[in-house]
Amino acid sequence: MERVIKSYTLHNFKSIPQISHLKDELIRDIEIVGRVLPFKTNNYVIDELIDWHNVDTDPMFTLNFPRHDMLKKKHYDIVEKLLDENADKQVIEQRIKKIRLSLNPNPAGQEHNVPYLGEIKLKGIQHKYPETILFFPSQGQTCHAYCTFCFRWPQFSGMNELKFAMKETDLLLRYLTIHKEVSDILFTGGDPMVMSAEILAMYIRPLLSDKFKHIHSIRIGTKSLSYWPYRFLSDADSDAIISLFEEVNAAGKNLSIQAHFNHPVELSTIAVQHAIKRIRATGAQIRTQSPILNHINDKPELWSQLWRKQVDLGCIPYYMFVPRNTGAKRYFELPLEKCWDIYRKAYRRVSGICRTVRGPSMSDVAGKIQVLGIQKVKGEKIFVLRFLQGRNPLWVDIPFFAKYDDRATWFNQLKPAFGEEKFFFENQKYEIATAKNELLLE
Ligand SMILES: *Cc1c(COP(=O)(O)O)cnc(C)c1O
Ligand code: SF4
């Protein structure tokens, strides 16, 4: 079953056969909103995931095509007017840039995580938690299809050069040689699985040598199982990818694919099931994660189905995230209380085998903060929270409390409970963990 990827963006989406049957308003919304929120999709998503009979509510359509309500009315009207007036191209572009900037394209805190090697700033690395570095290979900074809730596109570049990979590998390896506290490297993007097997191997193979015994886990964060499972089946270098995975496992390392699935439909096709089997047969594990999103997976039964199905297929449910404050967040966000309610109702429907999942979790500047629940203590209604990961590892697992707020959708909107002025960690929040590891771990 061979498939060749065909991508669609704002510039050619009208050539998708199914699009011609849509209502005019929907097409117009894509044209207007798509100016501000870039989108990209492909023939697999179109032919096998989207339910074209229910486009008004179909979650796969919503994840792949911009919709009217993803923009504020004010912004929508501005773009619509400019297009109707056939305004000057430069004027349109400037206005769109302004709207994009107002949508918080670079959500807070990531700049704190970029480490140094001597004088060199390592832009392709983030090191926030001592044991794990994130690595952003420059050839992996694009995706098979873009998710409408994601605003990583400002960083997308998508160059596919060996020369660059060599230079980056060199810096990465030098950094890891010094940082023996790092046990995990997480390749991320964009989507590292857009890289060729050859480039991926250039990054991964050196890590298998004796010099890097301290690296136990190689992880790859990817949406490819959902949006292009043929990456592992019938692309020209699919077999080379599979051999590389086997090589990692043969070297005694844990290879973990951090797969991003938003909805049970993404697990329903023969292609994805076949791809999961093939990856699992290499000895690699697949852990799953997803943001919790209004209009997409805002029902407990969708999550319990998702986790149940993942376990059936040999995957390990890992994280439920609260989406960051960026892009079309206004369309996708849910109050923290609702996120917790959905999590809890889904969690209690599944057996312990599926309860490896943790959430709802917010990746804030200070760390990954889980909403453990809502309680009432001596008459005060509170959120009970804890760090799943902290910029300072000593914070992890200590429960702490915030005032209940029925509208809060992110940690920065919460205030400490019981009249406290600050959360217990707030004074140390912006210090970089890596520079201080030894001190912090004492
Ligand atoms: C989530 C995350 C990690 C990985 O954390 P795990 O809990 O080990 O999966 C590493 N670095 C950053 C910046 C993260 O947000
Ligand atoms: S695959 Fe990941 S990085 Fe790419 S658009 Fe989707 S959420 Fe963003």
Side-chain angles (χ1 to χ4, degrees), residues 176-187:
L176 290 177
T177 306
I178 300 170
H179 289 272
K180 295 280 195 263
E181 78 277 15
V182 176
S183 62
D184 288 40
I185 168 164
L186 172 50
F187 288 82

Side-chain angles (χ1 to χ4, degrees), residues 128-129 132 134 219 318-319 368 389:
K128 181 171 181 181
Y129 311 125
T132 303
L134 304 187
R219 312 200 218 165
Y318 193 58
Y319 273 132
K368 282 191 169 64
Q389 280 286 8

Side-chain angles (χ1 to χ4, degrees), residues 110 113 126-134 136 152 184 186 219 258 287 289 318-319 321 324 358 361 363-364 367-368 388-389 391:
Q110 316 224 28
N113 306 330
Q126 284 186 25
H127 195 178
K128 181 171 181 181
Y129 311 125
E131 73 286 354
T132 303
I133 64 161
L134 304 187
F136 298 76
R152 284 206 179 174
D184 288 40
L186 172 50
R219 312 200 218 165
Q258 311 276 139
R287 287 184 174 70
Q289 56 196 40
Y318 193 58
Y319 273 132
F321 290 119
R324 278 172 195 278
R358 290 161 306 155
S361 166
S363 281
D364 191 64
K368 282 191 169 64
L388 292 170
Q389 280 286 8
R391 194 171 277 287

Side-chain angles (χ1 to χ4, degrees), residues 1 12 40 52 59 64 105 109 144-145 150 184-185 193 205 214 246 262 293 317 326 342 351 394 413 422:
M1 185 173 33
N12 64 349
K40 181 171 128 191
W52 290 96
N64 281 271
H144 287 106
C150 178
D184 288 40
I185 168 164
M193 293 311 306
R205 239 180 229 131
H214 59 295
E246 284 168 348
N262 305 124
L293 302 162
T326 178
I342 291 168
S351 79
L394 293 180
Q413 295 154 356
K422 284 184 175 171

Side-chain angles (χ1 to χ4, degrees), residues 27-80:
I27 296 177
R28 187 159 174 77
D29 289 344
I30 296 172
E31 281 177 323
I32 291 170
V33 183
R35 289 293 183 124
V36 180
L37 302 169
F39 69 98
K40 181 171 128 191
T41 189
N42 66 45
N43 46 334
Y44 170 72
V45 175
I46 286 163
D47 296 337
E48 302 191 43
L49 296 185
I50 292 177
D51 174 4
W52 290 96
H53 300 294
N54 290 303
V55 278
D56 284 334
T57 54
D58 181 54
M60 287 301 121
F61 182 87
T62 309
L63 284 172
N64 281 271
F65 291 97
R67 286 194 189 274
H68 183 277
D69 293 346
M70 289 180 189
L71 282 188
K72 278 188 196 153
K73 182 168 184 317
K74 186 178 83 182
H75 290 156
Y76 186 97
D77 292 347
I78 291 170
V79 180
E80 181 175 43

